[in-house]
Structures are given as C-alpha cells and as structure tokens.
Amino acid sequence: MEKTTDKPRQTLSITRKPANIATTTTDTNAGTVKRTGKRIITRDQLPVARVSIGKPTYNKPGAKPKPKATRRPRQPPRPPKTPPSELRARELSDSLNNFTVWRDRLPLAIGIEKQLFRHIADLHLSASKRVVNKLLHWHTNHRAYLLAVGRGGPRFNLDGTEAGAILPAEREHAGRILAAIPQTA
C-alpha cells in the first residue's frame, strides 16, 4: 500500500544578495583592509598555543595520544629470476668450452648452427633454436671474438678445421660494432 500525500511539493528558490562594492574601507592606522562579510585575522590575534612551531595538536585536552602504526619489517629484495633459455644457453656454452675454437673465440664458420645442433644431439642436451641463437649472439658479440674477426684470416669449424676466409665487409662490420661498444677503464 502506498501512502499518498495531498500536499504539493514546495519549490526552493535561492536569490543572491546584492553586491555592495561601496562598503570596502581601508583602515590607515592598522594597515588592514576591512570588507563586509569577511573576517581577516592577523597573527597577533591568534591564540598563543596555535602559534607554536611544530605539528598542531588536534586531540581533545586530556585525551590519550593515538599509538603510532607499526610497520612490518622490510623484506630483502628478491633475486632476479633467470629465464630457462638463459640457463640452457650457459649449460651449452660450458659444454662447448671443450673445443679450442670456441674457448679461444676464433672466427666461426658460416652455418655453425648445424654443427651446434649435432653437438646437442650427441650429448643429449636440451636446447632449442632460441637457446642456440642466444648463445651465438653472446659469443659473436664478445669483444675478443670481434677482435679476431677484425684481424681477418680463416674461419673455423668446431673441430678446428678451416672453413673459408673472412671477407673485408665482415672485417669492417666487426670494426663498426667494436667502435659502438663502450670502452671500460
């Protein structure tokens, strides 16, 4: 059941007060301006307790202060997680250090990936194309490898046999990459 009221709703109307510009006066003795409807408080009119330096107290007189919130002890930073592809690339690099060509960072033959995949299959290692590409990127962008390519000479297979020569364009490319690497003191 709904109750109905017979009283009509009243409308609310708000009217502005007329602006009175002529009521602004200046007190020459005190150096303050008094306006109607506004109150100006100067520093000497403030109570002594509020002028004190420091944090203002808003507690009631006689009230107990609020206890400070206790913080949890800061946790030590977590070590960064190493992606599995990087772990496998390191494992593969360690197994390839048995080859003097790899260990001495001599220029590698073009198409060395096939030999790397044969090595992975022979040792029953777990490595994907991503792992091999990441490992080759690390190896071929190393300063010692770029210097060896910049010197020129033959390229080598994993077993140490020669597999072609380094072209002048490849030597120039290695020089440009070396120039872009920042020198450490």
Side-chain angles (χ1 to χ4, degrees), residues 51-72:
V51 176
S52 65
I53 298 174
K55 271 190 167 179
T57 57
Y58 297 109
N59 293 342
K60 295 179 183 174
K64 293 181 182 177
K66 293 181 181 177
K68 291 185 177 181
T70 58
R71 290 185 178 178
R72 290 187 291 146

Side-chain angles (χ1 to χ4, degrees), residues 17-86:
K17 292 181 182 178
N20 193 357
I21 299 173
T23 60
T24 304
T25 60
T26 306
D27 187 7
T28 56
N29 295 338
T32 59
V33 176
K34 295 181 181 179
R35 294 183 179 92
T36 58
K38 293 188 179 183
R39 194 172 110 192
I40 299 175
I41 299 175
T42 58
R43 191 170 273 291
D44 57 329
Q45 294 172 342
L46 291 175
V48 177
R50 296 192 101 181
V51 176
S52 65
I53 298 174
K55 271 190 167 179
T57 57
Y58 297 109
N59 293 342
K60 295 179 183 174
K64 293 181 182 177
K66 293 181 181 177
K68 291 185 177 181
T70 58
R71 290 185 178 178
R72 290 187 291 146
R74 191 177 252 190
Q75 298 292 325
R78 293 182 180 170
K81 293 185 178 180
T82 308
S85 62
E86 192 170 316

Side-chain angles (χ1 to χ4, degrees), residues 127-173:
S128 63
K129 287 181 185 179
R130 169 183 272 177
V131 171
V132 171
N133 285 336
K134 185 178 278 194
L135 178 65
L136 283 173
H137 179 77
W138 290 346
H139 188 78
T140 58
N141 282 328
H142 193 274
R143 182 173 175 74
Y145 182 85
L146 291 170
L147 286 171
V149 171
R151 275 187 246 117
R155 292 183 169 276
F156 296 95
N157 291 319
L158 278 180
D159 59 0
T161 59
E162 289 186 14
I166 297 173
L167 302 175
E170 294 167 341
R171 291 179 64 187
E172 291 172 15
H173 179 70

